[in-house]
Amino acid sequence: MKNRILVAPLNWGLGHATRCIPIIRALEKSGFEPVIASDGIALELLKKEFAHLITLELPSYQIKYSEKGKNFKIKLFSQLPTIIKAIKAERIATENIIKEYNISGLISDNRLGVYSKNIPSVFITHQLNVLTGNTTWISTKIHHHYIKKYNECWVPDMEKKPNLSGKLGHLEDPFSSLKYIGPLSRLHKKVTKNKYELMVILSGPEPQRTLLEKKLITELENYTHKTLFIKGIIEDKQSTYEEKNITYYNFMNSEQLEIAFNESSTILCRSGYTTIMDLAQLGKKAFFIPTPGQYEQEYLAKKLKQENIAPSCNQDNFSIEKLEQINSYKGFLNFSTEISWKKLFSLFQGK
């Protein structure tokens, strides 16, 4: 019987789930049997990608987001009691899953309650410093409290410069369990002809995903170039339609996304870290609109702008004319790295 490894990404947009896809694939190739656990759209996405694997539902953090970016932190901190309660419920659910499914090891992508002291446990994060403005010190300290319980913490980035996460993923005094595994992406660069001048890909929490979708559809009314617009809505069935020069999809699977990214000249998207890893893997040019109030995305967009990689602006100030700025930036250089899965998974061998 194959060793079963529990893989549990946080349901916060789609980024945590999508960056677990190459890990799940690598586990299967290495002779393990992944068991997937999450909730909401993250779980729905992984069910579509891995219909042959066991998929389980975990307690939801039930995070509600503000319509105004300036209220993001207040709203999030007001929900801390609910989040802590969910983490405790998640811890109990994890122990039950370990017993019922004979789990040999676990990999948690930012799910703080998916942990066990009885089996090898890995935590994945690119946020060793959790930026929350004047409360960064306390949010970072709380995060470290949880991370240090795990046998290893995998950071999907390079340890030295150049790197993608900057101060998010690098500490002045790193702790011993940290392992920099290199950027994670489910996509691969392919030589293709450009089919679309622009690809819009939406993701992230509601209501901000919908607010940006509405704004971009309005802005694109006078855009004459061929455009692919992926809304990032995970539904039972894939749907697509065309209006003028724009082809709309509700969602795409990994195989379709890989083709779409490669066939598109420029990408318009959020500055989420998983999207940045995908763009770096493919060596693309992009324009970023960070999710309002999310310090992490605002920091990453600013960092990449300062490095002359990609332009960005806030959601309220975006207009389609700003896409012309892309030509003045160098874009992402191919950041592809080989991950040593054998070395990483040795933690789970013989357990």
Side-chain angles (χ1 to χ4, degrees):
M1 185 179 171
K2 294 178 179 178
N3 282 3
R4 283 180 169 170
I5 308 299
L6 184 67
V7 181
L10 182 66
N11 177 34
W12 182 302
L14 294 173
H16 295 280
T18 56
R19 74 185 185 190
C20 281
I21 290 173
I23 294 173
I24 295 166
R25 287 175 180 163
L27 281 167
E28 286 195 286
K29 283 183 181 176
S30 302
F32 296 96
E33 183 186 347
V35 173
I36 297 166
S38 190
D39 68 287
I41 57 170
L43 183 59
E44 290 308 308
L45 174 83
L46 292 174
K47 278 182 179 178
K48 291 180 188 299
E49 292 285 336
F50 301 101
H52 61 289
L53 293 179
I54 296 168
T55 50
L56 306 168
E57 188 165 6
L58 288 170
S60 172
Y61 287 23
Q62 296 180 327
I63 300 168
K64 294 180 176 67
Y65 302 89
S66 170
E67 285 197 26
K68 293 185 178 178
K70 64 181 181 179
N71 298 329
F72 179 86
K73 184 167 73 171
I74 298 167
K75 184 121 182 173
L76 195 59
F77 271 82
S78 70
Q79 296 172 81
L80 275 178
T82 307
I83 295 168
I84 291 165
K85 190 178 176 183
I87 290 168
K88 287 178 179 176
E90 188 175 60
R91 183 77 182 271
I92 294 165
T94 300
E95 289 300 338
N96 290 334
I97 289 168
I98 289 167
K99 288 173 188 172
E100 186 176 347
Y101 292 91
N102 194 26
I103 302 295
S104 302
L106 67 81
I107 299 171
S108 166
D109 188 329
N110 275 267
R111 293 198 83 110
L112 301 173
V114 178
Y115 163 78
S116 174
K117 60 184 177 185
N118 300 317
I119 59 172
S121 299
V122 172
F123 192 78
I124 297 177
T125 188
H126 64 277
Q127 290 190 80
L128 297 173
N129 288 304
V130 184
L131 305 186
T132 55
N134 57 6
T135 52
T136 292
W137 68 276
I138 186 66
S139 53
T140 296
K141 195 169 183 178
I142 292 167
H143 207 214
H144 288 187
H145 167 73
Y146 282 101
I147 293 172
K148 287 178 179 178
K149 293 180 179 182
Y150 291 78
N151 297 91
E152 293 180 0
C153 175
W154 295 352
V155 183
D157 198 2
M158 309 304 292
E159 186 172 3
K160 309 292 183 185
K161 292 182 179 181
N163 58 60
L164 297 175
S165 64
K167 68 180 180 182
L168 286 177
H170 297 82
L171 299 173
E172 287 182 15
D173 185 21
F175 32 91
S176 59
S177 62
L178 290 185
K179 280 193 174 182
Y180 287 87
I181 67 173
L184 282 170
S185 177
R186 57 182 165 156
L187 308 178
H188 301 89
K189 189 170 179 64
K190 293 183 176 178
V191 179
T192 59
K193 288 184 179 178
N194 279 345
K195 188 174 178 182
Y196 303 100
E197 180 62 30
L198 178 67
M199 172 179 167
V200 178
I201 181 160
L202 300 185
S203 60
E206 296 290 6
Q208 291 299 338
R209 190 213 59 81
T210 296
L211 292 172
L212 183 57
E213 179 190 323
K214 288 177 179 176
K215 182 176 182 68
L216 293 181
I217 287 172
T218 303
E219 285 292 330
L220 285 164
E221 281 179 1
N222 299 318
Y223 189 70
T224 56
H225 299 288
K226 199 166 184 186
T227 301
L228 177 64
F229 196 119
I230 304 163
K231 295 182 178 182
I233 304 170
I234 307 298
E235 295 173 319
D236 290 339
K237 290 185 178 179
Q238 187 181 66
S239 62
T240 181
Y241 63 94
E242 289 189 26
E243 281 187 8
K244 297 180 182 176
N245 57 310
I246 306 175
T247 303
Y248 290 93
Y249 279 81
N250 54 347
F251 70 90
M252 281 186 170
N253 63 30
S254 294
E255 193 177 334
Q256 292 170 319
L257 268 176
E258 184 171 88
I259 294 166
F261 266 105
N262 278 292
E263 288 183 340
S264 303
S265 293
T266 54
I267 315 298
L268 175 58
C269 55
R270 294 291 194 199
S271 49
Y273 188 64
T274 300
T275 304
I276 287 168
M277 288 193 291
D278 287 339
L279 293 168
Q281 169 87 348
L282 300 172
K284 303 301 289 188
K285 287 201 161 195
F287 191 102
F288 291 118
I289 304 174
T291 301
Q294 279 203 18
Y295 290 89
E296 171 209 354
Q297 289 198 12
E298 289 168 353
Y299 164 75
L300 288 168
K302 186 179 178 182
K303 172 186 182 290
L304 295 167
K305 195 173 194 175
Q306 288 173 342
E307 292 172 355
N308 195 35
I309 290 172
S312 57
C313 73
N314 68 40
Q315 195 161 297
D316 290 339
N317 292 343
F318 179 77
S319 64
I320 206 68
E321 291 77 24
K322 288 186 184 293
L323 292 182
E324 293 171 13
Q325 296 174 16
I326 294 173
N327 293 327
S328 303
Y329 288 74
K330 63 184 180 183
F332 286 91
L333 301 172
N334 189 285
F335 220 89
S336 176
T337 54
E338 284 294 322
I339 296 174
S340 179
W341 297 113
K342 188 177 180 181
K343 211 179 268 186
L344 288 175
F345 296 158
S346 64
L347 181 69
F348 306 126
Q349 294 289 359
K351 300 292 181 184

